[in-house]
Amino acid sequence: MKFKYLGCLMIMILGTLFVAAQEQFDIDSLIEDVSIDRQQDAFSNYSYKMEFIRYKKTFYGKDKLVKRFDVVLPSTMPKNRRYQHRLLLVYDSSQNLTQLDIVNSRKQIIKDLEDVENEQQNINDQNNTKPNTGGYLTLRATTNISNRFTLGVNILELLKGADFKNYKELKVNGRDTISLDFQPPADKVYNGDLFYLGRIEGVVLIDKIDKRVVEVEAFPLGKLEEYRNQTPEQREEFRAFHYLQTRVPEGFWFPKSVSLNFMKSPKDFDNVEVKVQFTFSDYKQFVVSVDNYRVQSSNETENKPENEPEN
């Protein structure tokens, strides 16, 4: 009887281990699937608007910078290299835009679009190889803080580097969605403008059908359980990273808002007391050419952008 009991116990233990291993295998396969570029350079068919806001701590309190851009892409997107979207500055809280600024910036955009549309693709040029982003827009923002000049956003790097657990299925806005907790491995080191990825933990939501990241919400390491069940307002105040996507009618997933906020816990982030936020809107499918761009609204301008999305 004793041996029979031990045998049943061993079967139960082995069964539990198998289920755990199977769940981990499924999560790994899911993350690999979500990391594939399923959108096939979809951004090349869309224009959109972007607002950038930066808060940084100063001796007198907080300094706020606001910039708004219209983003224009060429009708022929370079397939073999990184392409920085052309940003047309339409508002800047730090300066007054003149009519000359408007004229010069429009001329420069036209020239840039002409150059890109006429560019010969060189498949042998390894120096221009386009990096894999998984089909997610990457971002870089200047902080104007001496010990941390730029901050980056790269969802693929987060997916590739994190450990995932706590698989759940739920409905979000009527769609089947998967929820996973994530945290960085203890031995993973992030440097440069993605340094903060090694210092946050949180939850990622994935659209089950489209296999796209819907949302990422993260807090300083060790704080996820503290804020998990708080109100949305409380979580927004204390989260360090947030990435939210929207599904356009054609079925692609594009960013809706992205934010990094280290002002609530600067000691966790090299004393970088800064908050940056990107908001995206008015995604419109189009086929742009230099000719029809020339006649776009006369109040569009561009300054050399300090915050450039890449695809």
Side-chain angles (χ1 to χ4, degrees), residues 8-254:
C8 291
L9 181 62
M10 287 298 295
I11 290 173
M12 291 174 62
I13 292 173
L14 289 173
T16 301
L17 291 175
F18 174 78
V19 171
Q22 183 66 35
E23 179 182 1
Q24 183 60 45
F25 173 79
D26 289 342
I27 290 177
D28 290 345
S29 298
L30 171 65
I31 294 302
E32 183 177 353
D33 213 11
V34 173
S35 301
I36 297 172
D37 184 357
R38 300 180 177 280
Q39 304 201 144
Q40 298 297 314
D41 294 305
F43 272 109
S44 63
N45 295 318
Y46 288 80
S47 63
Y48 58 94
K49 297 182 183 297
M50 182 180 78
E51 180 179 75
F52 171 75
I53 302 177
R54 184 196 66 214
Y55 300 90
K56 66 174 181 176
K57 188 173 181 180
T58 66
F59 181 78
Y60 301 101
K62 289 182 182 179
D63 175 67
K64 180 180 179 181
L65 173 68
V66 180
K67 292 188 176 186
R68 299 189 184 103
F69 303 90
D70 286 355
V71 184
V72 179
L73 301 176
S75 59
T76 304
M77 176 73 78
K79 302 296 184 183
N80 66 331
R81 67 170 174 83
R82 184 189 302 262
Y83 179 74
Q84 293 182 328
H85 299 183
R86 273 29 176 193
L87 306 182
L88 310 176
L89 186 65
V90 296
Y91 175 80
D92 188 339
S93 62
S94 66
Q95 64 171 306
N96 293 319
L97 298 176
T98 68
Q99 186 62 35
L100 182 60
D101 294 328
I102 295 172
V103 172
N104 288 339
S105 61
R106 185 182 298 110
K107 288 180 179 179
Q108 185 60 51
I109 282 290
I110 291 172
K111 182 179 183 304
D112 289 345
L113 288 176
E114 285 176 335
D115 291 344
V116 172
E117 290 182 359
N118 294 327
E119 179 180 290
Q120 294 295 317
Q121 299 291 338
N122 184 357
I123 60 175
N124 297 318
D125 188 352
Q126 298 300 316
N127 293 327
N128 285 331
T129 300
K130 182 178 178 182
N132 180 24
T133 66
Y136 299 100
L137 191 70
T138 62
L139 296 163
R140 185 173 293 107
T142 60
T143 65
N144 284 355
I145 295 177
S146 59
N147 62 333
R148 181 62 58 186
F149 184 67
T150 62
L151 294 173
V153 176
N154 190 320
I155 292 299
L156 183 62
E157 289 300 315
L158 185 152
L159 293 174
K160 288 175 15 181
D163 288 335
F164 295 91
K165 62 180 182 180
N166 198 18
Y167 179 103
K168 296 179 182 178
E169 294 189 9
L170 60 155
K171 288 280 188 180
V172 175
N173 296 325
R175 294 187 64 85
D176 292 330
T177 306
I178 296 167
S179 170
L180 294 171
D181 292 354
F182 72 90
Q183 61 180 187
D187 58 348
K188 178 71 174 178
V189 177
Y190 292 92
N191 296 309
D193 55 14
L194 297 177
F195 81 102
Y196 64 90
L197 290 181
R199 308 183 192 188
I200 59 174
E201 62 178 4
V203 178
V204 58
L205 300 181
I206 298 167
D207 188 86
K208 189 175 181 180
I209 301 301
D210 291 349
K211 298 297 190 298
R212 291 283 86 190
V213 169
V214 175
E215 185 175 10
V216 180
E217 186 175 40
F219 304 89
L221 277 176
K223 298 292 186 179
L224 174 58
E225 293 306 322
E226 179 179 346
Y227 294 111
R228 186 194 295 274
N229 296 318
Q230 298 292 334
T231 66
E233 293 76 17
Q234 289 172 317
R235 295 203 311 273
E236 181 178 0
E237 182 180 0
F238 290 97
R239 66 194 178 201
F241 175 62
H242 188 236
Y243 183 93
L244 181 64
Q245 293 219 118
T246 185
R247 191 175 191 267
V248 298
E250 294 76 23
F252 302 118
W253 290 87
F254 296 146

